[in-house]
Amino acid sequence: MTTIAPAPCFSIIIANFNYVRFVARAIESALDLDWPHVEVIVVDDGSSDGSRAVIESFGDRVQAIFQPNGGQRSANNTGFAASRGDIVVFLDADDILDSHFARAVASVWRPGVSKVQVQMQRVDVEERSLGSVLPAIAEAPRPEDVRRWSVEMTEYPTPPGSGNAYARDFLARFFPIGPEHDSFTDSTCLALAPLLGDVVTVLQPLVLYRQHGGNDSNLFASPGRFGREVARAMSRQRSAESICNELGTPPPDKARLRSSRHLLQLRVASLRMDPQGHPLPEDSRKVALIDAIHSVALRGFDPLSKRLAVALWSIVTLTAPRPLADRLVRWRFRAAH
């Protein structure tokens, strides 16, 4: 007689800090999931903008936790410790889940999966589509390809934090995430997922990724943001190395960081926009120029047209006069944001 496995429980963990404008919509989207077993945990990380009253208005439909400000990593550590679900989603307080998100994830779930990732639709503050999705890919990659790209190039096509549903047993191997790791939870989780399990992709835009001036991903919000992102890539690498060593899993080679096309573009922008604050002392415009030329031959998951475009933009931006370089960086990353 065949035994039918019970439907998995989803834990939706929402870390909120001063997002009173958006947090109610995020909570509502989690509560509206078309799935029988969902728990919603909201961790308010010391907000001072009225978020607490909004969160408390949901009553016992959510598990609300209020703590002093400790940053995203601390809030998600708290949320994970309080959760019980088989599948865990760290939903940013300004993002929105489609009601079919859980059902789509569950339909492809199987033993050995570390995460299922979906596409995210970019929208503005009023939830109007901005016409693009993340990741912008036409075919779902095989888990073995994702793992190979992660090892060989330290990157793979993935959405930001809210577009990922993680296996609890995967997260339990390294949670709580300590202060020696990146302050953003998704950095560590995204880096480790292909190394400690299978990454399965659902090519459907099932999360709304709200774009607004307060996004941490807004690279023009303050000087040095490009350098900060380069430093975060180095932190992700160190996290992956240390955790893999602890777990007895072969770690990624840090020399492969120079193979990352996304990091190459951040390095170029940092070297031109804030050269004094660039966090890699061994890096330079000459080194980045060599990497840009070599990047064309590194196939990875990008088509030749993308590889050529990235190389050309990098070369021109590295060699152009500063005013033109600034315009090229703003064009490239304004378009991405």
Side-chain angles (χ1 to χ4, degrees), residues 109-115 143 147 167 169-170 193 196-200:
W109 200 267
R110 56 174 172 75
V113 167
S114 55
K115 76 157 177 164
R147 184 173 297 109
D169 57 2
F170 160 68
L196 301 179
D198 288 346
V199 173
V200 177

Side-chain angles (χ1 to χ4, degrees), residues 106-265:
S107 71
V108 298
W109 200 267
R110 56 174 172 75
V113 167
S114 55
K115 76 157 177 164
V116 171
Q117 58 183 25
V118 306
Q119 289 179 305
M120 300 177 71
Q121 175 70 57
R122 293 180 188 268
V123 297
D124 65 12
V125 174
E126 303 301 325
E127 301 179 29
R128 295 171 297 205
S129 174
L130 295 175
S132 61
V133 297
L134 294 171
I137 53 177
E139 295 183 3
R142 300 178 304 168
E144 53 267 35
D145 289 330
V146 171
R147 184 173 297 109
R148 176 170 54 83
W149 295 329
S150 182
V151 170
E152 293 180 355
M153 303 185 69
T154 71
E155 65 179 358
Y156 60 96
T158 180
S162 301
N164 302 280
Y166 297 102
R168 179 174 202 84
D169 57 2
F170 160 68
L171 296 175
R173 300 180 75 179
F174 56 91
F175 263 72
I177 300 175
E180 69 275 16
H181 302 295
D182 192 81
S183 59
F184 294 90
T185 310
D186 59 326
S187 290
T188 304
C189 296
L190 295 179
L192 288 171
L195 304 176
L196 301 179
D198 288 346
V199 173
V200 177
T201 304
V202 174
L203 279 189
Q204 296 180 54
L206 295 171
V207 182
L208 298 185
Y209 181 42
R210 200 193 299 262
Q211 307 279 269
H212 55 87
N215 290 95
D216 184 76
S217 58
N218 180 3
L219 294 172
F220 297 100
S222 62
R225 280 279 178 104
F226 292 103
R228 184 201 67 173
E229 292 303 304
V230 174
R232 285 184 64 190
M234 300 300 295
S235 177
R236 286 194 296 273
Q237 174 70 22
R238 290 192 297 270
S239 292
E241 288 176 1
S242 64
I243 292 173
C244 285
N245 284 331
E246 289 175 11
L247 298 175
T249 299
D253 183 354
K254 63 183 177 181
R256 297 290 187 175
L257 275 172
R258 288 180 60 180
S259 300
S260 167
R261 265 183 284 275
H262 180 63
L263 181 58
L264 169 64
Q265 294 169 85

Side-chain angles (χ1 to χ4, degrees), residues 52-123:
R52 180 169 190 140
V54 173
I55 296 167
E56 289 178 334
S57 71
F58 286 90
D60 60 7
R61 291 193 294 163
V62 306
Q63 181 180 350
I65 301 172
F66 300 95
Q67 66 175 34
N69 181 253
Q72 188 204 69
R73 181 184 59 229
S74 171
N76 282 332
N77 280 341
T78 298
F80 182 71
S83 70
R84 296 294 178 266
D86 309 289
I87 301 173
V88 179
V89 178
F90 297 106
L91 175 63
D92 289 344
D94 54 346
D95 292 339
I96 302 157
L97 297 176
D98 185 281
S99 62
H100 302 300
F101 173 90
R103 194 163 294 278
V105 169
S107 71
V108 298
W109 200 267
R110 56 174 172 75
V113 167
S114 55
K115 76 157 177 164
V116 171
Q117 58 183 25
V118 306
Q119 289 179 305
M120 300 177 71
Q121 175 70 57
R122 293 180 188 268
V123 297

